[in-house]
Amino acid sequence: MDAIKKKMQAMKVDKDGALERALVCEQEARDANTRAEKAEEEARQLQKKIQTVENELDQTQEALTLVTGKLEEKNKALQNAESEVAALNRRIQLLEEDLERSEERLGSATAKLSEASQAADESERLVPRYHLKSLSPNYPIYDLPHCTRICKILLKFTENY
């Protein structure tokens, strides 16, 4: 009987040890399950964050594409405007050169006109004198062609200007 009692006590000790181990294992299992649930929750939260970041990345890339397109359009417009300004500057330069030449021609034409006007005034001043001389009997007829030639030259000169 002693052997059975010892055996029973040994079994009871084994049972108590097994129960303790089972309780410890159950506690460890509960702790592991809690940690697993926390890890799964963190994984879900990280997955949500990843999805949010990916959406923001897509939106940012679309915005970048739009802004890049607008920038290219603005650069083209800038290049067109610069070439237009260059063309207008060249045209201004040509017009200024043409203006200078026109002013020079105007100056020379004005000077020639002034000379022609003076010559015409001189001719008009001499006309009555030669007219009177031509009526006088002392005036030689041979000077008349000379006067006619002078008048014709003066007339051509004034008609050109």
Side-chain angles (χ1 to χ4, degrees), residues 55-66:
N55 288 339
E56 289 175 357
L57 175 64
D58 290 341
Q59 291 172 354
T60 304
Q61 286 176 339
E62 288 174 7
L64 175 64
T65 303
L66 291 174

Side-chain angles (χ1 to χ4, degrees), residues 104-120 154 157-161:
E104 288 174 5
R105 286 194 307 254
L106 176 64
S108 66
T110 303
K112 288 180 182 179
L113 179 62
S114 174
E115 290 174 12
S117 175
Q118 288 175 355
L154 290 175
F157 190 72
T158 56
E159 285 177 353
N160 288 337
Y161 297 98

Side-chain angles (χ1 to χ4, degrees), residues 3-123:
I4 292 179
K5 255 187 178 188
K6 279 187 183 184
K7 189 92 163 150
M8 287 284 275
Q9 279 183 346
M11 283 175 78
K12 186 178 178 187
V13 170
D14 284 342
K15 179 186 138 199
D16 288 340
L19 284 176
E20 268 186 46
R21 281 194 309 264
L23 288 174
V24 169
C25 286
E26 284 177 4
Q27 184 61 38
E28 287 176 357
R30 280 192 298 266
D31 291 344
N33 285 338
T34 305
R35 284 194 310 266
E37 286 174 6
K38 287 181 182 178
E40 286 175 2
E41 182 62 29
E42 286 179 11
R44 280 191 296 271
Q45 289 176 355
L46 288 175
Q47 190 67 25
K48 285 181 183 178
K49 285 183 182 179
I50 288 171
Q51 189 174 9
T52 304
V53 169
E54 286 176 349
N55 288 339
E56 289 175 357
L57 175 64
D58 290 341
Q59 291 172 354
T60 304
Q61 286 176 339
E62 288 174 7
L64 175 64
T65 303
L66 291 174
V67 169
T68 302
K70 288 180 182 178
L71 178 63
E72 288 175 0
E73 288 177 13
K74 296 293 182 181
N75 281 338
K76 286 179 184 177
L78 175 66
Q79 288 174 351
N80 288 339
E82 286 177 346
S83 64
E84 203 173 302
V85 166
L88 289 174
N89 282 337
R90 178 66 181 147
R91 185 162 184 226
I92 288 171
Q93 183 181 8
L94 291 174
L95 288 173
E96 287 174 348
E97 291 172 2
D98 188 37
L99 176 65
E100 288 176 9
R101 286 191 300 269
S102 296
E103 286 175 347
E104 288 174 5
R105 286 194 307 254
L106 176 64
S108 66
T110 303
K112 288 180 182 179
L113 179 62
S114 174
E115 290 174 12
S117 175
Q118 288 175 355
D121 289 344
E122 183 65 27
S123 295

Side-chain angles (χ1 to χ4, degrees), residues 129-143:
R129 184 172 143 206
Y130 283 118
H131 181 65
L132 288 176
K133 278 187 179 180
S134 69
L135 295 177
S136 75
N138 296 336
Y139 182 72
I141 296 290
Y142 63 85
D143 280 345

